[in-house]
């Protein structure tokens, strides 16, 4: 963006060619925004390939037997199918946003495309965090009810009180908070950087008359 900053400094210095500078700035903002949205699309693809690869290697017979013992095999399979459908929809939206931004030839339309992309990414992040939380809660409840080792631990600590349950649930919630914190950090580092670029471009575009 260094070239853009230089153009901005000289925006009003040349009275004879103010429109040329404006068009150059628009072209650079358009290119930069298109690049950011393209990377959002690429990263979302890499993400789904990564998680699909993990599922392929770890979802063996032992894993499904474990789910059966927790009585949540059906629920997890349904959630997984729904999750892939929704994520594929988001990938389509990212691709659609990229194509839309790439073919936009007006400031007004580019502003709309940037807003739409930012909104889509935020929905995508919140959806993933919600799905992680829901899956974790389902596993937590089923383990507390059906896992014999956890039941023994609860009964050992209980002493006719609910301390055992409170202790186990507290540990689960701490683990969940750490897990979600790591995901938020990941999304802020990756998508947050690209969203900041789009936000900066949006504010620069607002200064261009259209």
């Amino acid at each position: 963006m260094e070239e853009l900053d230089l153009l901005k400094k000289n925006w009003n210095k040349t009275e004879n060619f103010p429109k040329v500078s404006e068009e150059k700035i628009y072209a650079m903002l358009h290119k930069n925004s298109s690049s950011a949205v393209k990377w959002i699309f690429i990263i979302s693809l890499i993400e789904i390939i990564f998680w699909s690869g993990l599922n392929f290697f770890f979802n063996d017979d032992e894993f499904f037997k474990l789910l059966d013992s927790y009585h949540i095999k059906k629920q997890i399979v349904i959630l997984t199918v729904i999750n892939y459908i929704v994520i594929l929809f988001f990938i389509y939206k990212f691709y659609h946003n990229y194509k839309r931004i790439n073919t936009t030839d007006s400031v007004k339309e580019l502003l709309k495309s940037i807003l739409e992309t930012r909104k889509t990414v935020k929905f995508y992040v919140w959806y993933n965090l919600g799905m992680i939380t829901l899956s974790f809660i389902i596993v937590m409840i089923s383990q507390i009810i059906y896992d014999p080792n956890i039941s023994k631990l609860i009964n050992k600590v209980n002493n006719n009180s609910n301390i055992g349950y409170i202790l186990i649930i507290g540990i689960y919630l701490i683990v969940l908070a750490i897990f979600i914190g790591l995901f938020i950090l990941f999304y802020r580092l990756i998508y947050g950087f690209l969203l900041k670029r789009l936000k900066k471009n949006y504010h620069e575009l607002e200064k261009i008359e259209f």
Side-chain angles (χ1 to χ4, degrees), residues 16-30:
N16 294 329
F17 304 102
K19 196 174 181 180
V20 174
S21 296
E22 198 170 279
E23 287 174 354
K24 282 185 179 180
I25 289 172
Y26 168 77
M28 293 181 67
L29 289 170
H30 184 279

Side-chain angles (χ1 to χ4, degrees), residues 2-13:
E2 289 181 7
E3 191 178 346
L4 174 59
D5 293 331
L6 287 172
L7 278 172
K8 282 164 59 185
K9 286 179 183 178
N10 296 298
W11 189 317
N12 295 319
K13 286 184 180 179

Side-chain angles (χ1 to χ4, degrees), residues 58-208:
F58 290 103
N59 290 5
D60 53 11
D61 290 338
E62 290 298 320
F63 175 76
F64 285 111
K65 284 179 184 177
L66 184 64
L67 292 181
D68 267 330
S69 69
Y70 292 156
H71 301 273
I72 55 170
K73 181 180 176 181
K74 184 178 179 181
Q75 292 90 325
I76 294 298
V77 169
I78 290 171
L79 272 181
T80 302
V81 172
I82 292 171
N83 190 45
Y84 276 116
I85 292 171
V86 174
I87 287 178
L88 286 172
F89 168 75
F90 274 112
I91 288 174
Y92 162 76
K93 285 288 291 180
F94 291 147
Y95 178 73
H96 174 74
N97 289 337
Y98 168 64
K99 294 296 289 183
R100 182 180 173 184
I101 242 175
N102 211 32
T103 55
T104 295
D105 58 0
S106 73
V107 175
K108 190 174 181 179
E109 287 301 315
L110 186 53
L111 285 169
K112 285 182 181 178
S113 298
I114 289 174
L115 279 178
E116 183 66 28
T117 301
R118 284 173 54 81
K119 191 186 297 183
T120 304
V121 172
K122 286 177 181 178
F123 278 135
Y124 175 70
V125 172
W126 280 112
Y127 165 77
N128 280 328
L129 293 175
M131 182 59 75
I132 290 167
T133 303
L134 177 61
S135 302
F136 192 93
I137 289 171
I138 289 172
V139 173
M140 178 188 74
I141 293 171
S142 63
Q143 281 188 328
I144 290 172
I145 295 172
Y146 298 109
D147 192 310
N149 295 320
I150 292 178
S151 296
K152 284 179 184 177
L153 181 61
I154 290 172
N155 291 329
K156 190 175 180 180
V157 176
N158 256 350
N159 294 325
N160 297 321
S161 68
N162 292 321
I163 295 174
Y165 285 104
I166 294 169
L167 180 64
I168 292 298
I169 292 171
I171 292 170
Y172 271 111
L173 291 177
I174 290 169
V175 172
L176 176 61
I178 293 170
F179 203 58
I180 288 177
L182 290 173
F183 267 85
I184 289 173
L185 181 63
F186 167 77
Y187 285 125
R188 281 197 173 183
L189 285 174
I190 303 299
Y191 292 103
F193 170 73
L194 295 169
L195 287 181
K196 280 181 181 177
R197 277 174 60 182
L198 287 175
K199 186 177 181 180
K200 184 179 179 181
N201 291 350
Y202 183 87
H203 290 314
E204 294 297 339
L205 283 164
E206 283 184 315
K207 299 173 186 176
I208 299 176

